[in-house]
Amino acid sequence: MRIDAAVVSVPGGPFEVSPVELDSPQAGEVLVRIRAVGICHTDLGMRATWSKHRCPQVFGHEGAGVVEAVGPGVTRVRPGQTVCLTYRSCRSCRQCLAGHPAYCIAGLNTAGRPDGTPTITRDGEPVFGGFFGQSSFATFAITHEDNTIPVPETLSPVIAAPLGCGVQTGYGTVTRVVRPAAGATLTVYGAGSVGLCSVLAAARAGARVIAVDPIAGRRALAEKFGACATIDPTSTDDLAAEVIASHGRGTDHAIDTTARQDVFAAAVAAAEPRGEIALVGIGRALEFDVMSVLYKGLSIRGVIEGDVVPDEVIPELADLYAAGQLPLDDLITVYPFAQINQAAADSLGGATIKPVLLVDA
């Protein structure tokens, strides 16, 4: 079928919204009419570093829409159902069976079909798809039974879209991994969409939350979401000392969304003995003083997708939003799909927190 997709032809190149051909869904696959899709920093980071051998490529992994058709064997969703798209998992490996599908060993999120046949072509030539099992920067997407999650039809697609990655990452890191006790000190480094959702979840748990971010508007939102204090890291020469002074002691739990060396070093220095640091930002190598970590007894761990089971957490998040307890409207800026390059630039420049593209299929 003829659709429009935002194709990246070369690594670091622009999104080219152009007509392409999308295949029909095969066994286990689902055809979804995309109504909205969030832009995540992972999309933009991968665009910049993607191999030239896997271009042209369609990114996008925070899609939301309506099931148009299903392939053979699909039973979990049906045509006409409103859905949120998330990451893929095999549901049968050791990690999936243990309730940690974000660490699925099958490697499904950057691969296409097992037989190598393309889901997308342009002018008769293959276009790489299957990014997070969806490639949802498009008017329609081929998804899979395992990453297509039903949501209430009353839930706006603009709200549903970021639930499948950014929101569940921030919320899940707190509720599924860190699990702070009431009164615990928790510092969130970086108040983007992931960080702000972490602030919200930690405040709901009764933790004493401090948010660190250089942008005043984001610090204001962190306070609205329950942070007891915020810090502008550009206003101090010693961020760790500022964090400790604001808390009155070290940090029991830290969540770093930045993947910046200076921020990570401050998180280690500000940590309470036997504290923990959860790394959720995508970046390159980070270094630390082994002796500082050793003598403090710190735990440092990476967290992908909030270590959540999407089938469980996405309905939970939809319910929280419906109950007025998840103010995602404060984070989202809506752009027409055709303005994807402007939305991406605004996201990278910090002008928006969570850009969501409204797709008119």
Side-chain angles (χ1 to χ4, degrees), residues 187-281:
T187 303
V188 176
Y189 296 91
S193 59
V194 172
L196 286 167
C197 288
S198 295
V199 169
L200 179 71
R204 283 173 51 83
R208 292 161 45 205
V209 187
I210 289 175
V212 178
D213 197 278
I215 299 176
R218 297 185 179 195
R219 296 197 302 273
L221 272 180
E223 293 181 358
K224 180 178 180 180
F225 283 17
C228 59
T230 60
I231 297 171
D232 177 359
T234 66
S235 67
T236 177
D237 294 328
D238 191 339
L239 178 56
E242 190 77 15
V243 169
I244 292 170
S246 294
H247 274 307
R249 63 181 182 84
T251 297
D252 297 316
H253 312 281
I255 298 173
D256 176 34
T257 74
T258 71
R260 287 173 52 114
Q261 180 63 52
D262 57 341
V263 174
F264 175 64
V268 170
E272 189 79 356
R274 300 182 66 247
E276 68 174 330
I277 301 171
L279 305 178
V280 302

Side-chain angles (χ1 to χ4, degrees), residues 34-118:
I34 302 298
R35 297 181 62 200
V37 55
I39 295 180
C40 176
H41 278 278
T42 300
D43 294 307
L44 304 180
M46 291 297 99
R47 176 184 64 161
T49 59
W50 203 247
S51 168
K52 65 179 181 180
H53 301 295
R54 289 189 60 82
C55 285
Q57 169 80 36
V58 177
F59 294 101
H61 67 285
E62 288 187 344
V66 177
V67 175
E68 191 81 4
V70 299
V74 173
T75 59
R76 294 181 64 246
V77 295
R78 64 182 187 278
Q81 202 161 20
T82 302
V83 292
C84 169
L85 308 181
T86 188
Y87 67 88
R88 291 208 65 195
S89 58
C90 73
R91 297 176 179 259
S92 60
C93 71
R94 182 177 179 183
Q95 296 301 324
C96 286
L97 293 176
H100 302 285
Y103 305 103
C104 174
I105 66 172
L108 301 175
N109 286 295
T110 56
R113 286 170 168 163
D115 64 2
T117 59

Side-chain angles (χ1 to χ4, degrees), residues 100-341:
H100 302 285
Y103 305 103
C104 174
I105 66 172
L108 301 175
N109 286 295
T110 56
R113 286 170 168 163
D115 64 2
T117 59
T119 57
I120 307 170
T121 58
R122 182 173 62 173
D123 299 328
E125 297 296 324
V127 173
F128 287 97
F131 188 66
F132 279 67
Q134 53 184 282
S135 288
S136 50
F137 286 162
T139 51
F140 287 82
I142 294 290
T143 71
H144 302 263
E145 193 171 33
D146 58 82
N147 71 323
T148 305
I149 312 298
V151 293
E153 63 179 17
T154 54
L155 184 66
S156 164
V158 169
I159 298 300
L163 299 185
C165 183
V167 177
Q168 72 180 11
T169 296
Y171 182 84
T173 298
V174 172
T175 62
R176 269 61 172 178
V177 178
V178 174
R179 300 177 185 269
T185 55
L186 188 148
T187 303
V188 176
Y189 296 91
S193 59
V194 172
L196 286 167
C197 288
S198 295
V199 169
L200 179 71
R204 283 173 51 83
R208 292 161 45 205
V209 187
I210 289 175
V212 178
D213 197 278
I215 299 176
R218 297 185 179 195
R219 296 197 302 273
L221 272 180
E223 293 181 358
K224 180 178 180 180
F225 283 17
C228 59
T230 60
I231 297 171
D232 177 359
T234 66
S235 67
T236 177
D237 294 328
D238 191 339
L239 178 56
E242 190 77 15
V243 169
I244 292 170
S246 294
H247 274 307
R249 63 181 182 84
T251 297
D252 297 316
H253 312 281
I255 298 173
D256 176 34
T257 74
T258 71
R260 287 173 52 114
Q261 180 63 52
D262 57 341
V263 174
F264 175 64
V268 170
E272 189 79 356
R274 300 182 66 247
E276 68 174 330
I277 301 171
L279 305 178
V280 302
I282 302 295
R284 297 183 179 180
L286 292 173
E287 299 178 355
F288 60 87
D289 179 359
V290 173
M291 298 307 289
S292 295
V293 173
L294 183 68
Y295 280 116
K296 280 190 172 183
L298 302 184
S299 298
I300 300 172
R301 64 159 295 178
V303 183
I304 295 292
E305 295 286 354
D307 198 5
V308 301
V309 177
D311 306 73
E312 298 173 357
V313 79
I314 288 174
E316 179 181 334
L317 293 167
D319 288 345
L320 285 173
Y321 178 79
Q325 299 178 38
L326 189 65
L328 296 182
D329 300 86
D330 291 336
L331 309 182
I332 292 171
T333 302
V334 177
Y335 297 78
F337 181 46
Q339 294 181 11
I340 182 172
N341 286 298

Side-chain angles (χ1 to χ4, degrees), residues 215 218 331 333 335 342-355:
I215 299 176
R218 297 185 179 195
L331 309 182
T333 302
Y335 297 78
Q342 183 62 57
D346 289 349
S347 178
L348 289 171
T352 63
I353 298 174
K354 171 54 68 175

